[in-house]
Structure formats: C-alpha cells, structure tokens
Amino acid sequence: MNGEQQHDADAGSGVEDMEFSWDEYLEDTGAVAAPHGSFKHVDTSLQNGFAPGMKLEVAVKSDQNTYWVATIITTCGQLLLLRYDGYGEDRKADFWCDIMTADLHPIGWCEQNEKVLKVPEGIKDKIPDQEEFLQRVLKGACSAPANLLEGLHRGKNPLDLIAPGSRLELQNSRDALEAWIVNVVENVGGRLKLRYEGLEDSDKFDQWIFYLDPFLHQVGWATQNGYNLQPPLAIRSLKSEADWQEILKKVKEEEEESSVPTDLFKDKPVIGVHSFSEGMKLEAVDPMAPFVISPATVLKVYNEKYFMIEIDDLRPERATSQSYICHVNSAGIFPVQWSLKNGIHLSPPPGYPGQDFDWADYLKQCGAEAAPQSCFPSLTSDHGFKENMKLEAVNPVDPEEVCIATVTKLKDSYLWLQLEGSKKPIPDCIVSVESMNIFPVGWCETNGYQLRPPRKAIVNKQKKIAVVQPEKQILSSRSVHDGLKNQELNSSDSVVINGKYCCPKIYFNHRCFSGPYLNKGRIAELPQSVGPGNCVLVLKEVLTLLINAAYKPSRVLRELQLDEEAAWHGHGETLKAKYKGKSYRATVEVVRTADRVADFCRKTCIKLECCPNLFGPQMVLDKCSENCSVLTKTKYTHYYGKRKNKRIGRPPGGHSNLEVAMKKPNKRRKKRKHFFVHKKKRSSTSVDNTPAGSPQGSGGEEEDDQDESELSHSLTQDQDKRKRKLRTFSFSDDENKPPSPKEIKIEVAEKLQLDSNPLEWSVADVVRFLKSTDCAPLARIFLDQEIDGQALLLLTLPTVQECMDLKLGPAIKLCHHIERVKLAFYQQFAN
C-alpha cells in the first residue's frame, strides 16, 4: 500500500466516502480563509517564466508569412494574452495564444531567420514609419525567454519539470557540509516527496520538502561548492562503500536525462552570512516538534552560512539530542527574553530545577552569553494573517498529512496553528508566516491531494463541493480553436487550461477611482493582489474583499447578485455581507476559466461604478489608462454608471444614478449629453484623455460650452413653468418621491443671493456653503463623496437618503437648502 492509499484508508469512520466542503465549513464556523497573497512560496510556484510587459514576435493572423511584435498582457498557465504593439491601450484586439501550438518567437528571431516583420492591417494607419516605430518600442524592451518558446521546455510550467524520477541534492539536516542525491517520488504543487538515491525499495526515510527549500539543490551543487557528496549517517550502513560509489557513478551517467533545469531555483531564498558563535544561548522552536519555545545553544559553527542549534536538555541520562542545522534566515530562532516580551510561555529545559525559569540565573549557571539581537532575522507583521483565519498546513508529526488549520495566536511573524483532523491530536504548532508547509484554502483540492477533514466533518453528499477545481482539458492545435491556423484565442473564446491553477493574479489598483459604493480608505487597506490560483476561489475572495470594503456591504452584494432572468455563463457562488448587525446572502456569478477573468473584472468594476481598472489581472503602475484620476465621483458615474429606471423607494441595487437635469413629471424626456466630465476644461488642441467608452465629441472646450448652453436652456424652460407654481420643494421626478401619505411642502424661508454660478462651484465651495447653514454637520459627507456644484444641483430627496444614509427629517432639511440654491441658480444664472 503506497503512502497516499494508506493516507486515504486512515481517514476513518466513512469520511473518505464523504466530500468536504470548505465553503460550508467556513460558513458553519464563521471564519474566513487566509488571503492567497500571504503564501509567497505558492505564488512563486505558479509563475511560468513569462511576465507581463515581455515582448515577442508573433505570426500575423491575416498573413501567416509575416510577423509583428506583440507584448504580453497576462500570463496564465500555458496561455498568453497578447496585444500587437501599436494598439496602445486598446484592448479590443487582445488575443490568447497557446505557447505549445502558436507561432511565437523571441525578439530578433525574424531577422535571424529572414522572416518579414510587417505591421498588421488594423494599425497600419497608426504606424507610418515601421523602422522608426520598432526602434522606439524595442529600445530597452525585455524579450520573452527563447528556451520557453522553443525546444523541450516549450510551454511547460517550470514546476512541472520536476517530474517523478528527477534527481536533486539535499543537504544533510545533521551536517550542513554534506549532501546526498534524492529522487523525486511525487510532486504535489511543488511539495516534493523525496527518496534517497540507493533506497529505491524503501520509503522509511522519505521526506516531504517544498522545492524552494534552501537545503534543496540541483545535481552537481555539492561538488561545485566544495561540500561532501555522501549518504547521511542514518542510511550509510545499509550499503557498502563500494555500493555507494557505484550508485554515484550511475547518477553521473544518467545526469543529463534526470536533471532539473538550474533556473528553476532562481527564486529560492538566498542564504546570507550569520554572526553566531559557538556556545551562544537563544530561544528556539524544534522544527520536528514545533509546539513550545525552549532555551537552546549554538552547538557548532560550520562556516559563515551554517551553524547547528541544540535544544537544551539538562538531564544526565539523556540518550539523544535535539539538534538541527540553521542559517541566518532560519525560522524559529529568537533572542533571549523574546518569549517574556511577547507574553509567550518559555518551556524550561528538561532537568531544570523548579518551574520559574529565569534567563539571568540560567546564563550565569551555564557561564554562557546570550546571542545579540543583531544575529537574528528581522520580523515583519505585514503578512495578512489574522486570528481565526483558516488555511491548510502540514502536520509536523506526520508530514504525509495536510490538515485544516486555524490561526489561534499571532506574534510578530509567527502563527500558532491548531490542526483539525490529524490522526492523533497535537498541541498548537508554531510556524513562521513564511513557512513552506502552510498553504491557502483549496490548495489540496486544486492539486488533487487529500486534505484531512475535521473529525466532525461538515460534508455534502448530494452536491459538488462549492469551491470547485477547474476542469482539466489538454489544449491541442485542434481543440483550442479550429478556425485559427495560428492557434490564436480571442478574449471571448471559452478556454480551459491544462493545469492545476488557471486564474492569474488579480491586482487591486489602489490609485484608481473607487466609485460611490466603495470606501476609498478601506480599498487602500486591501492587499496589493490576490492569487493566482483556482479561478472560482480567487474571484470569490476578490469579491468578498470588495463587499467588505463598501460603505454598505449589503448594497454592493445586491449589485453583484445574479439576475435570475439572465443567461447563465459561469459558476454560481454564495457570498455574504454584514451590515448594521444583519446578515445578507446572495448568489453571485463568477467565471471559471482564465480567458474570461479580465473581462469579468472589468464588467464587475463598471457594475460597481468604479474605474474599470480598479481590480483585474493588470497592475496600474504610473497612470491609469482610463484617466480616472481627473474625475470626481458624480462626474465619473455619468460615464460608467448604470442607467436604470428609478423606482419608488430604494431600488434593489441600492444606489440611483444622478440625472443630468430636472425632468418634467410623468413625461419622457430626450437624453441630453453629459457635461463637465473633467475637473479642468480641455483646450481644442489638448490630448483627449476621455475614459474609454465615454461619449466623445470633436470639440474639447467648445463641446463643454455647448453642453452648458443646452443645460441652461433646459433649466430656463423649467424655471418659467415653476414660476407659476407655489414655491415649494419639487423633486426631480414624481416617481422618485419618498413613500409618504402626504405631499412634502416646505416654503422657502428667504431668498438666497449667490455670488457665483453653482455650476462652477468646487467641492470646497459646496462645503463652505453648507457650513453657513444649519446642515453644517453634513459638510463632511459632501467632502468625502467629492460632491461639487454640478452634483449639488442634481441631488434629490431619494438620492440624498440613499447615498448619504440620512433619515427623512435631516434629508428634507438638507434638500431645503439645495432647493434654495437651485431657485437662485434659475433666477440669477440660467439666462
């Protein structure tokens, strides 16, 4: 019985027949998953060697005999989202390519192979001088790696090159100056099951190690760096010296066919120089039993990189010592008194007299010195973990097991984890936030490895697990897209990636416009990115973060809620929101394949009336392509807002867009152009920075003037009609009146005389006006929501109640002053 089968059989009491659901478990426990971005080693393992911004030469779809330069927009498994150079920020021509089948080459390939570089038809008019354009765009450009586009490694995820049968070298955990060859038995998402060379028939000494572990190297490392290549002492007696030498000879003969590319380890942590000396005392966690912190001693210094630590044991009869090799960045080593300063119990050494351990007495008794603070790695608290978060973690007692884990305590960059479902109950484990033995929720499911469920398993026999694994389907030259000879994939094509992870990293671009629903302060606190990983899982985490960053989480949840009448294109996920002590739940549709992620993020942003680049697979570095930085909230929603028919009371979406001008009651009105989009007027000679998708005219400043003229004419007509009526509050349209048994009529107490046109008021001018009224406490809301003079004139009672969360009384009082401004505007400036 192999290890995996044994692991399945030991699950016990019928749990293996059931299906554990992370979704339902989180729901039942009221916990949240640790953010994907906190597991840096997992993030690194998903990188395919390509990066956004790299350039390559691609066969032109319309003419297979010509090529053109393209830039990588997004990477996802063996797929690349490309854009031909010359399209600028235009996303419409983006296309997906399968590295395995498409005609892709590094920069310079056409020149070397006498192939033609020719501008595609779609951008021919934009590039009058091809040579000058190429010189400009290729200056300082980074070409896609040639070895990933051609040869044996083409299209492969570097991690997949560590296949069963591959050989590596592993440093001895008892002697840092020794290493021995290991065979890869299994590769689970970069977590390798290794067996010592020469022990092919025995799994007794097998080890599980993540491929980025500092003690794991490519074959030949020991010889190149002057380390001894010999089997560990624990297995040395199992064979004769002649047998071991024969094994070494065999390895050298087969080195080429079993070797792993050296660049696979380029992201491995670099070991620095330490400053420890023999005999120094410190506090340490035994990695084989990481349940307590104990006094320890630097037993031996091997060289400037490695030293050995021994957990102190004062018993004279002790048979073995707990010792292990460390380096300067090793986790689980602390300066003397660290436990006391952090309120953590320090376990006295076995044989220590009494229970009250005192470091000063102990150092005096041992005649030793404490290792200075400068010897230890700096600790960080910027990691994203919080108490009660859930994750998946390796059982240190049985590394074959990966269990559900709960963060029970946090100190600096260390977690205390309670493992649920382990075969034998164990105390809370102490691990570093940078440990390579912890993984995000869903990691086991995605990599096809069994996760140990809790003993009282929350299972679902009737339906599939809520957080699903992407479907697996091998992409071939025929199955990807039969209609494209060059194997290009349009953004709209539905593609499922061959691989365990498919969703690219989703970036939160904090500089982008956050819109009326999302709290800019909370958006700024979100992590820089989420993923990559399982599409459904990553997008669900992104949406949950957005809901929690809203002014009213329940309102954003309603905006995202799946329309039951709409066509089903993706996967339904249940999301929750809490607001004012109440819980809300709704089904939200998310996409399941990488090719649809970018479009999904953009459409979701537009649905939430924020910048289309606020979150998505592209990072906004200097300036957003939508130029959203020059827009205020109200002006921006004129372009990206949803044009819904208003209903009585609060609409399901929660927020009603502000209309441009007053409507005549019960009559349809022609749509008018929106006006004053940018904070600054554009001159007719200036560059057009209008956001993509917005209405564009030919006139710059002249167009603005025309729009203002149209508004003035409209308001003048409304004014003439209003003069015949009693001076009462008249809302923008009858259907938006708040539900009330009586008409609300408030006479204007005094005539307001304005010194300037409200259409030209800045946010500061609006705030200044409000502070001169009895609604001064509400000025802060107008400042936070960036409501300028134009927005002020568009406000209605329902909008004020909804957007500012005001009760009816204060809302009416505020609208009283807004009506005074409107009336003064009609009388003084409308003509």
Side-chain angles (χ1 to χ4, degrees):
M1 181 180 289
N2 63 32
E4 190 169 344
Q5 289 171 331
Q6 178 68 43
H7 187 64
D8 291 347
D10 289 339
S13 61
V15 172
E16 68 271 28
D17 297 327
M18 300 179 180
E19 195 169 353
F20 173 75
S21 166
W22 258 119
D23 248 15
E24 294 186 14
Y25 185 66
L26 293 173
E27 171 88 14
D28 186 75
T29 57
V32 295
H36 278 254
S38 296
F39 304 88
K40 295 182 177 63
H41 60 297
V42 176
D43 192 356
T44 301
S45 72
L46 301 176
Q47 296 173 4
N48 64 359
F50 295 96
M54 287 182 175
K55 294 185 183 294
L56 62 167
E57 295 174 356
V58 188
V60 177
K61 178 180 175 182
S62 58
D63 184 354
Q64 295 294 300
N65 295 320
T66 65
Y67 295 79
W68 189 242
V69 176
T71 300
I72 298 176
I73 305 300
T74 297
T75 70
C76 198
Q78 67 187 48
L79 297 183
L80 302 177
L81 181 63
L82 304 178
R83 183 183 303 163
Y84 285 123
D85 282 14
Y87 276 98
E89 297 297 326
D90 186 0
R91 304 165 183 243
K92 294 176 183 177
D94 291 2
F95 58 96
W96 288 93
C97 274
D98 179 2
I99 303 167
M100 295 295 290
T101 56
D103 196 358
L104 308 174
H105 305 280
I107 296 298
W109 179 87
C110 284
E111 184 177 357
Q112 295 168 8
N113 293 274
E114 298 182 352
K115 298 292 182 179
V116 178
L117 275 173
K118 184 180 178 182
V119 183
E121 289 295 328
I123 50 175
K124 212 168 186 179
D125 57 334
K126 296 182 180 181
I127 305 174
D129 188 337
Q130 176 177 313
E131 294 301 321
E132 185 275 333
F133 177 81
L134 286 175
Q135 286 183 2
R136 178 161 47 86
V137 299
L138 294 179
K139 185 178 180 180
C142 177
S143 172
N147 66 312
L148 296 179
L149 293 170
E150 303 162 348
L152 294 174
H153 299 163
R154 178 178 182 178
K156 288 188 176 181
N157 187 318
L159 188 60
D160 293 335
L161 300 177
I162 312 179
S166 299
R167 289 191 176 106
L168 297 164
E169 288 182 3
L170 179 64
Q171 278 180 270
N172 192 334
S173 61
R174 299 286 178 178
D175 189 340
L177 301 182
E178 293 181 355
W180 186 241
I181 300 133
V182 288
N183 272 288
V184 177
V185 178
E186 195 176 349
N187 179 355
V188 180
R191 189 167 182 256
L192 309 178
K193 187 176 185 179
L194 303 174
R195 184 169 298 167
Y196 285 118
E197 188 73 36
L199 302 183
E200 286 76 11
D201 300 326
S202 173
D203 61 359
K204 182 179 178 182
F205 298 95
D206 287 0
Q207 300 181 58
W208 282 95
I209 295 176
F210 203 76
Y211 83 105
L212 294 173
D213 191 286
F215 290 93
L216 195 61
H217 313 277
Q218 69 272 17
V219 171
W221 174 88
T223 303
Q224 294 168 9
N225 291 275
Y227 290 77
N228 299 323
L229 191 61
Q230 58 181 359
L233 195 59
I235 67 169
R236 201 172 298 170
S237 61
L238 299 179
K239 292 184 183 292
S240 66
E241 184 63 28
D243 289 339
W244 290 120
Q245 291 303 317
E246 190 64 29
I247 290 170
L248 268 180
K249 182 180 178 182
K250 177 189 174 186
V251 169
K252 289 181 180 178
E253 290 174 354
E254 300 174 355
E255 182 175 344
E256 188 171 338
E257 60 187 68
S258 65
S259 63
V260 172
T262 55
D263 61 354
L264 189 66
F265 300 98
K266 62 181 174 57
D267 296 314
K268 196 170 67 170
V270 177
I271 297 177
V273 176
H274 72 81
S275 54
F276 285 94
S277 302
E278 288 184 12
M280 283 183 173
K281 294 287 184 181
L282 64 156
E283 297 179 0
V285 175
D286 182 0
M288 303 304 293
F291 311 121
V292 295
I293 300 176
S294 308
T297 305
V298 178
L299 189 65
K300 183 178 181 178
V301 174
Y302 291 94
N303 54 24
E304 62 180 10
K305 288 189 175 182
Y306 303 104
F307 56 96
M308 177 180 278
I309 279 181
E310 181 181 50
I311 303 297
D312 287 359
D313 190 335
L314 305 181
R315 294 174 297 184
E317 71 278 7
R318 67 172 180 167
T320 59
S321 65
Q322 295 171 276
S323 58
Y324 55 97
I325 304 299
C326 287
H327 51 83
V328 68
N329 291 320
S330 286
I333 57 175
F334 313 95
V336 163
Q337 304 287 11
W338 185 87
S339 296
L340 180 65
K341 292 176 182 176
N342 286 276
I344 306 297
H345 174 69
L346 181 69
S347 181
Y352 181 80
Q355 291 298 316
D356 297 328
F357 180 82
D358 182 78
W359 260 115
D361 291 342
Y362 186 61
L363 289 172
K364 189 175 181 181
Q365 175 187 337
C366 298
E369 64 171 326
Q373 178 73 45
S374 59
C375 290
F376 298 88
S378 57
L379 302 178
T380 175
S381 57
D382 182 22
H383 45 67
F385 291 101
K386 295 180 181 178
E387 286 188 13
N388 298 319
M389 280 184 170
K390 301 285 184 180
L391 58 147
E392 299 175 3
V394 174
N395 183 347
V397 177
D398 183 2
E400 197 86 18
E401 287 186 356
V402 180
C403 305
I404 291 171
T406 306
V407 179
T408 58
K409 185 161 54 179
L410 273 165
K411 291 294 178 183
D412 288 329
S413 54
Y414 285 86
L415 311 172
W416 274 251
L417 298 179
Q418 179 186 36
L419 300 188
E420 305 171 33
S422 56
K423 296 173 191 173
K424 297 179 181 179
I426 59 174
D428 288 5
C429 307
I430 305 170
V431 300
S432 166
V433 296
E434 296 181 352
S435 168
M436 297 184 193
N437 283 327
I438 58 176
F439 305 95
V441 162
W443 184 85
C444 280
E445 168 70 17
T446 306
N447 287 282
Y449 194 78
Q450 183 180 345
L451 174 70
R452 293 285 301 183
R455 288 179 180 83
K456 293 182 181 179
I458 298 173
V459 296
N460 185 356
K461 297 181 182 179
Q462 302 299 324
K463 61 181 181 180
K464 292 288 182 182
I465 187 168
V467 181
V468 298
Q469 180 178 354
E471 299 172 15
K472 298 179 180 179
Q473 174 182 327
I474 297 177
L475 290 174
S476 67
S477 58
R478 293 180 181 176
S479 65
V480 172
H481 200 288
D482 292 334
L484 296 180
K485 294 181 181 179
N486 193 38
Q487 304 309 320
E488 294 177 355
L489 306 176
N490 292 324
S491 299
S492 59
D493 292 328
S494 180
V495 179
V496 181
I497 296 171
N498 171 32
K500 296 164 184 173
Y501 283 87
C502 67
C503 186
K505 185 181 291 187
I506 304 298
Y507 294 97
F508 288 105
N509 297 307
H510 300 112
R511 296 180 181 178
C512 287
F513 183 81
S514 57
Y517 296 123
L518 304 176
N519 186 316
K520 190 170 184 178
R522 293 178 191 165
I523 290 290
E525 295 172 358
L526 295 183
Q528 186 179 12
S529 64
V530 173
N534 179 307
C535 259
V536 173
L537 200 61
V538 170
L539 294 177
K540 183 177 179 182
E541 181 177 343
V542 168
L543 295 181
T544 300
L545 289 171
L546 289 173
I547 289 170
N548 294 334
Y551 290 108
K552 292 184 179 180
S554 57
R555 182 194 301 167
V556 169
L557 183 61
R558 287 197 298 271
E559 290 296 326
L560 298 175
Q561 184 173 7
L562 181 67
D563 185 352
E564 295 180 1
E565 298 178 359
W568 185 275
H569 298 293
H571 174 78
E573 277 295 317
T574 301
L575 298 184
K576 296 182 298 181
K578 291 185 178 180
Y579 183 62
K580 290 188 175 180
K582 294 182 180 180
S583 294
Y584 301 84
R585 187 179 304 179
T587 300
V588 174
E589 185 180 15
V590 295
V591 296
R592 301 174 66 173
T593 56
D595 59 306
R596 300 176 61 196
V597 167
D599 187 56
F600 171 83
C601 292
R602 187 173 179 84
K603 286 180 178 177
T604 303
C605 285
I606 292 174
K607 187 183 292 185
L608 296 180
E609 301 185 21
C610 55
C611 173
N613 291 334
L614 180 66
F615 65 92
Q618 282 187 293
M619 180 189 291
V620 173
L621 298 175
D622 299 320
K623 188 176 181 181
C624 174
S625 61
E626 304 294 339
N627 202 26
C628 65
S629 61
V630 302
L631 304 172
T632 63
K633 279 193 177 179
T634 306
K635 294 172 184 176
Y636 194 86
T637 54
H638 284 299
Y639 280 154
Y640 291 107
K642 302 173 293 299
R643 278 109 176 143
K644 293 182 179 178
N645 292 326
K646 295 188 176 183
R647 304 196 307 184
I648 294 176
R650 299 187 181 189
H655 172 74
S656 302
N657 283 341
L658 306 179
E659 297 296 331
V660 176
M662 305 281 189
K663 291 184 178 181
K664 296 180 181 179
N666 300 324
K667 290 186 179 181
R668 297 187 64 182
R669 187 180 182 87
K670 291 183 180 180
K671 290 185 179 179
R672 298 190 180 277
K673 291 184 180 180
H674 299 304
F675 54 95
F676 292 108
V677 179
H678 295 91
K679 288 180 180 175
K680 296 181 180 179
K681 288 187 178 181
R682 299 167 296 173
S683 67
S684 57
T685 58
S686 65
V687 178
D688 186 8
N689 291 324
T690 307
S694 60
Q696 295 182 12
S698 59
E701 187 173 353
E702 293 177 3
E703 183 183 350
D704 288 343
D705 292 339
Q706 180 184 357
D707 290 334
E708 184 177 1
S709 174
E710 287 184 7
L711 173 70
S712 298
H713 178 67
S714 168
L715 293 179
T716 303
Q717 290 181 330
D718 286 347
Q719 178 195 6
D720 293 339
K721 190 168 184 177
R722 287 166 62 92
K723 284 182 179 179
R724 306 189 196 104
K725 296 182 179 180
L726 177 67
R727 289 184 179 179
T728 63
F729 266 97
S730 176
F731 302 102
S732 354
D733 52 68
D734 287 348
E735 62 206 69
N736 267 347
K737 288 186 180 180
S740 173
K742 298 181 179 180
E743 289 290 316
I744 301 174
K745 295 185 179 182
I746 302 177
E747 293 194 12
V748 179
E750 58 179 296
K751 185 176 179 180
L752 184 66
Q753 191 68 28
L754 299 178
D755 296 329
S756 59
N757 190 337
L759 280 177
E760 299 173 356
W761 282 4
S762 64
V763 176
D765 293 331
V766 172
V767 170
R768 193 176 300 113
F769 166 73
L770 285 173
K771 286 185 176 180
S772 68
T773 70
D774 55 356
C775 289
L778 303 178
R780 168 56 63 179
I781 300 176
F782 281 70
L783 184 62
D784 291 342
Q785 298 199 15
E786 300 179 17
I787 297 175
D788 58 10
Q790 297 168 42
L792 183 73
L793 292 177
L794 301 175
L795 291 179
T796 65
L797 182 60
T799 305
V800 165
Q801 282 187 277
E802 181 66 26
C803 295
M804 300 183 183
D805 196 21
L806 297 179
K807 293 182 179 179
L808 186 59
I812 291 175
K813 185 185 293 185
L814 175 61
C815 286
H816 165 66
H817 295 292
I818 295 174
E819 283 294 306
R820 294 175 64 204
V821 175
K822 289 178 183 178
L823 186 59
F825 168 74
Y826 294 143
Q827 294 175 341
Q828 293 180 237
F829 302 101
N831 293 328

